[in-house]
Amino acid sequence: MEHDRIRRYEQAAELLPPRLRRLAMELPDAQKARAEELRLRVRRPLTVLTDEGERSVATAERDALVTAEDLEQMVAGVTEFSRYASVETLRRGYLTVRGGFRLGVCGTAVLRDGAVCNLKDFSSLALRIVRERIGVASEAAPQLFDAAGRFQSTLILSPPGGGKTTLLRDLIRCLSLGSSAHRALRVAVIDERGELAVSCQGAAQMELGNHTDVLDGCPKALGIEMALRAMSPQVIAVDEITAAEDVAAMCAAANCGVGLLATIHAADAAELTHKPLWRELLAAGVFSRTIRIGGAGEARTYAVEEIPCSDGLALP
C-alpha cells in the first residue's frame, strides 16, 4: 500500500516543471506516501500538504521560489497546450488531468456579463493527488440492500476530510459491477466538480464499474434531471449536496423510484436534523441508510445504520 502511495505521488510530481519536479522528487519516501497535495504559489517555495499540515519542500532561497512562468508552464503542460479546450473547467477554478489528478487554479478572473469566463495571470496552483482505494466499500456495499435485494438510498456522513468522496467512489464501483448476491445496477454519476470520475477528455480516470454513466461538470440539479430523462438510471450518485434546488431534484428522483447515493458533512444522523436543507429529505423518507465514517487514514471504519421512520426506496 505504501509503495502505491509513493508511486502515485511521483506520478503527480512528473506534472511539475522540471526544476520543481527535481525538488519534489527529493522528498523522503515517508512524506511522499502521506502527501495529499503539491502547492505552487508565485514567489513562494513549493509546498506539500500531508495529514500533518503544509510544509515547504525546499528552503526559501531565490532559486527555489515558484515563478509565474512555472505556473504558466504547468497549466500549458496539463492542458496539453490546448488551454481553450479546458476553459469550461478552468473558469470554475480547476483542471482535470490525465492520470486522475486534479489541479486547482487561482489567478485573475476574467468577467463577462458578471460571470467568470476565464482565469489569467495565475497566482497559485494546488495539485491534488487523488488516490483510489478500491475495495474500501466491499463490506459496506452489501448492507445497502434490503432482504428482497433492493438497493436502499444511502447518505454518507463524516466531518470534512473524513474520506466521504473516496468511499462514495468505491460504492459506485461496487454497485455498477454487482456481485454474486446482487445484480449490477445502472449508476448515473453527476460529477459537478470532477472529483469522482476525474474525467479527462470524456474518459473517467477513476474506476467506477461497467454500468456507470458520468455527467461531468454539470450542476447537480440539472444533471439529476438530465440523467432521469436520458439514461434511465437505477441509482444516482452525487457528492456534497448543499443547495435547495439540489434537494428538490433528489426528491423528484426518489419519486421516480430511483435510488440515491450522496454525501454530507455531518458527524451522525442526529446532526442532519439541524441542517435545514436536509429536513425535507429526511421527512420525505428519501434516505433509509447512512454510512458513518469514523477513524482516520488506513484505520477508517464504516458503520451502516438505518434511519428511523424511513421506508427507503425500492428499485423497480
Side-chain angles (χ1 to χ4, degrees), residues 46-209:
L46 173 70
T47 64
V48 60
L49 177 67
T50 71
D51 53 1
E52 294 182 344
E54 190 175 348
R55 63 177 296 273
S56 296
V57 171
T59 62
E61 298 173 1
R62 181 169 297 277
D63 62 354
L65 299 182
V66 175
T67 67
E69 291 74 19
D70 289 328
L71 271 59
E72 289 285 346
Q73 182 179 355
M74 186 168 180
V75 170
V78 301
T79 59
E80 299 178 357
F81 299 93
S82 181
R83 191 181 302 175
Y84 176 79
S86 304
V87 71
E88 282 303 313
T89 59
L90 181 59
R91 68 183 182 87
R92 299 189 186 102
Y94 70 92
L95 294 165
T96 53
V97 184
R98 193 180 303 279
F101 299 98
R102 193 170 187 270
L103 186 68
V105 183
C106 277
T108 301
V110 179
L111 299 178
R112 182 179 299 156
D113 298 327
V116 177
C117 64
N118 207 344
L119 289 176
K120 66 176 184 178
D121 300 333
F122 305 125
S123 58
S124 58
L125 303 175
L127 181 59
R128 180 84 175 270
I129 307 172
V130 179
R131 293 185 173 97
E132 288 183 292
R133 292 188 62 192
I134 291 179
V136 70
S138 58
E139 292 186 10
Q143 301 177 60
L144 307 185
F145 294 82
D146 66 12
R150 296 171 297 190
F151 175 75
Q152 304 294 289
S153 290
T154 300
L155 193 60
I156 300 171
L157 315 174
S158 86
K164 294 184 295 298
T165 301
T166 299
L167 178 62
L168 175 60
R169 185 186 296 121
D170 201 50
L171 281 171
I172 292 166
R173 183 189 66 86
C174 290
L175 296 178
S176 179
L177 289 176
S179 66
S180 58
H182 303 105
R183 61 191 172 94
L185 300 174
R186 294 186 303 276
V187 183
V189 177
I190 315 303
D191 200 6
E192 181 173 5
R193 297 182 301 176
E195 293 184 320
L196 287 170
V198 195
S199 295
C200 184
Q201 297 181 353
Q205 305 295 292
M206 301 287 106
E207 178 53 59
L208 297 179

Side-chain angles (χ1 to χ4, degrees), residues 9 16 18-28 31 38-41 43-49 54-66 70:
Y9 169 89
L16 298 172
R19 179 176 60 86
L20 300 177
R21 182 189 311 153
R22 175 181 56 80
L23 294 174
M25 288 296 191
E26 292 174 355
L27 202 68
Q31 293 182 32
L38 286 163
R39 287 187 170 256
L40 297 77
R41 300 180 178 94
R43 299 172 63 185
R44 295 291 183 268
L46 173 70
T47 64
V48 60
L49 177 67
E54 190 175 348
R55 63 177 296 273
S56 296
V57 171
T59 62
E61 298 173 1
R62 181 169 297 277
D63 62 354
L65 299 182
V66 175
D70 289 328

